[in-house]
Amino acid sequence: MKTIFNFLLLVFVSLATIAQDDLFFPIEQNTISDWNYVSDRVMGGVSTGGASLEKDGDVTFARLTGNVSTRNNGGFIQLRSKVSLFDKPKMFQSIHNAGRDGESLKGVRLRVRGNGEIYHVMIRTYFNWSPSDYYFHTFNAGADWRIVELPFSDFRRSNSKETTLDISQIRDFGIVAYGRDFKSDISIASLEFY
């Protein structure tokens, strides 16, 4: 009886580990294709920048650098997940299917470092089609690598008093330098949904 119990416990722990791993998304050579650099130039802005895949020791990360300018109604550069209704990146397939015994996901963790500025996470769902309609949360990215934990309950909607973010409807995810004139330099090593 003890042997069967130990076997079942091992299976349960293995399945929990697999589920947890399915919600962890490192930025690596084979996952960087799920991300795009986007700037306010798509709407006539003048911000400049770029995103690159870099390595520091054993840490691989995406680095978003540039100059954010609010001239010409602009004001952002971002690293944004690819958007697709029919060919969703693995990240969205996983979070849409992450039912965890009926409990929904609580938030997202980012491993980041930066230049001490305030950055944004912006999320759009299948019901947010306007570029100015999104859910957002801000965080500070200091000089050392750290984990930033952002509960979904703290995300706010940009153009509405509605604050409920339906994670089963997430269609894109962006790390954004936004809203004021400043120099962006932020590195993102991983995302994890919890």
Side-chain angles (χ1 to χ4, degrees):
M1 187 68 149
K2 219 177 198 184
T3 306
I4 293 172
F5 175 77
N6 288 340
F7 174 75
L8 291 174
L9 183 60
L10 180 63
V11 169
F12 175 76
V13 169
S14 297
L15 290 174
T17 302
I18 290 167
Q20 188 71 14
D21 289 346
D22 284 348
L23 300 174
F24 179 76
F25 303 96
I27 305 291
E28 299 173 328
Q29 185 67 43
N30 63 339
T31 62
I32 196 65
S33 62
D34 288 338
W35 298 90
N36 292 316
Y37 168 79
V38 181
S39 78
D40 58 19
R41 290 180 175 258
V42 299
M43 51 184 257
V46 297
S47 296
T48 59
S52 57
L53 183 67
E54 299 185 14
K55 193 166 176 109
D56 181 10
D58 62 347
V59 178
T60 303
F61 56 93
R63 186 172 182 190
L64 177 67
T65 58
N67 292 303
V68 179
S69 173
T70 55
R71 290 183 313 155
N72 288 358
N73 296 316
F76 73 88
I77 63 172
Q78 69 177 298
L79 183 65
R80 186 171 77 189
S81 63
K82 286 190 173 177
V83 179
S84 175
L85 287 172
F86 305 108
D87 184 23
K88 297 178 197 173
K90 181 183 178 227
M91 178 169 69
F92 298 131
Q93 293 174 30
S94 296
I95 62 175
H96 292 169
N97 296 326
R100 288 204 188 159
D101 296 327
E103 293 182 28
S104 62
L105 296 173
K106 304 286 188 245
V108 62
R109 292 183 188 105
L110 307 173
R111 185 173 183 208
V112 297
R113 73 177 180 189
N115 60 350
E117 294 286 350
I118 301 292
Y119 294 92
H120 295 71
V121 167
M122 293 183 179
I123 294 175
R124 287 189 177 85
T125 70
Y126 291 110
F127 301 106
N128 305 109
W129 287 102
S130 165
S132 61
D133 186 14
Y134 51 84
Y135 293 89
F136 71 96
H137 199 305
T138 60
F139 65 93
N140 179 277
D144 297 321
W145 286 111
R146 73 182 187 108
I147 301 296
V148 175
E149 193 166 285
L150 308 173
F152 289 133
S153 60
D154 291 346
F155 276 72
R156 298 292 171 248
R157 192 164 178 179
S158 61
N159 67 357
S160 169
K161 292 182 180 179
E162 177 191 339
T163 59
T164 304
L165 171 59
D166 182 354
I167 61 155
S168 69
Q169 298 297 320
I170 293 176
R171 73 176 172 94
D172 76 53
F173 185 102
I175 291 100
V176 189
Y178 172 74
R180 66 194 192 292
D181 297 323
F182 74 104
K183 181 179 170 100
S184 168
D185 190 348
I186 180 171
S187 299
I188 306 98
S190 64
L191 295 86
E192 180 181 10
F193 294 91
Y194 65 94

